[in-house]
Amino acid sequence: DFIGSITLLNSKENRVYRNGVGDGGFKDQNLDCEELLNLGIPLFPIGILGGEKNIINQNRLTGFKASCGIYLSQTKNNKISENTIDNFDQGIFLVGRDKAESFNNEFKANNIINNKVVVLFKELVQNNVFSENTFLNNEKQIEYNSSTKNEFENNAYDDYKGEGSYYIHTII
């Protein structure tokens, strides 16, 4: 593992594969990734800002509950699979900006563990698919700040009791 960030800026068709990345132990908790960026502190091990058709596969992201593991802003058609995302404020942070949405991203077979929030959806985020992921030992699974359509199918949640509907999000 190393401390730092892999950032794709307006990039297409890249593959980020088998890396170990950490957030460097930044300790100021309770800030979401947007707030950290506004402070000029880009603390996310993997970020895609304005890109499409990138593959993020088999990476291990380790944090100190003070940043986000994967940050996607204004992205589309990316495939994020088989990663371990461990110990962040937000394991996955999705946001759009200025009418540029984050959409049609696929999150498949990731292990998302020990996070404050597994996925935080901000504005202009829709039609992202989360399938076959494992959610373990997280404080909250999903938070939305607006009502958008995203799909969750065949995921494993450690707090699901196996009966009835499972509600995975909170509108904030």
Side-chain angles (χ1 to χ4, degrees):
D1 290 350
F2 72 92
I3 296 168
S5 179
I6 298 170
T7 303
L8 305 177
L9 181 59
N10 295 319
S11 296
K12 294 181 181 180
E13 300 177 5
N14 294 289
R15 184 172 184 204
V16 178
Y17 178 66
R18 288 192 175 178
N19 296 287
V21 190
D23 68 4
F26 184 74
K27 303 286 188 211
D28 189 6
Q29 295 188 30
N30 300 316
L31 293 173
D32 73 26
C33 286
E34 286 290 289
E35 293 169 317
L36 289 170
L37 284 174
N38 291 337
L39 293 172
I41 307 168
L43 290 174
F44 38 84
I46 294 183
I48 305 174
L49 294 86
E52 64 180 290
K53 297 181 181 174
N54 296 294
I55 297 171
I56 309 299
N57 182 249
Q58 296 183 12
N59 298 285
R60 175 149 183 90
L61 313 176
T62 306
F64 292 91
K65 284 204 176 156
S67 62
C68 61
I70 296 179
Y71 177 90
L72 284 86
S73 176
Q74 305 172 72
T75 66
K76 61 184 176 182
N77 303 315
N78 296 290
K79 297 193 182 306
I80 294 92
S81 64
E82 300 179 50
N83 300 288
T84 297
I85 303 166
D86 183 8
N87 204 38
F88 293 95
D89 263 354
Q90 299 96 34
I92 299 168
F93 188 100
L94 289 138
V95 64
R97 240 190 241 312
D98 303 322
K99 299 182 183 175
E101 297 179 351
S102 280
F103 63 95
N104 294 343
N105 296 296
E106 178 184 333
F107 297 83
K108 185 173 183 177
N110 297 290
N111 292 312
I112 308 168
I113 57 176
N114 302 316
N115 297 284
K116 187 173 177 183
V117 178
V118 172
V119 182
L120 178 60
F121 293 102
K122 295 289 245 184
E123 60 278 346
L124 300 171
V125 175
Q126 64 181 348
N127 298 326
N128 297 286
V129 177
F130 291 78
S131 64
E132 301 175 28
N133 298 291
T134 301
F135 299 87
L136 294 173
N137 199 32
N138 300 293
E139 291 179 38
K140 292 182 184 176
Q141 305 300 5
I142 312 300
E143 283 190 10
Y144 285 89
N145 81 338
S146 62
S147 182
T148 59
K149 182 181 181 268
N150 295 284
E151 280 186 48
F152 291 82
E153 53 190 36
N154 298 319
N155 296 294
Y157 304 93
D158 66 342
D159 60 352
Y160 179 58
K161 305 295 185 232
E163 297 177 9
S165 297
Y166 182 76
Y167 296 98
I168 59 172
H169 69 274
T170 303
I171 306 295
I172 58 173

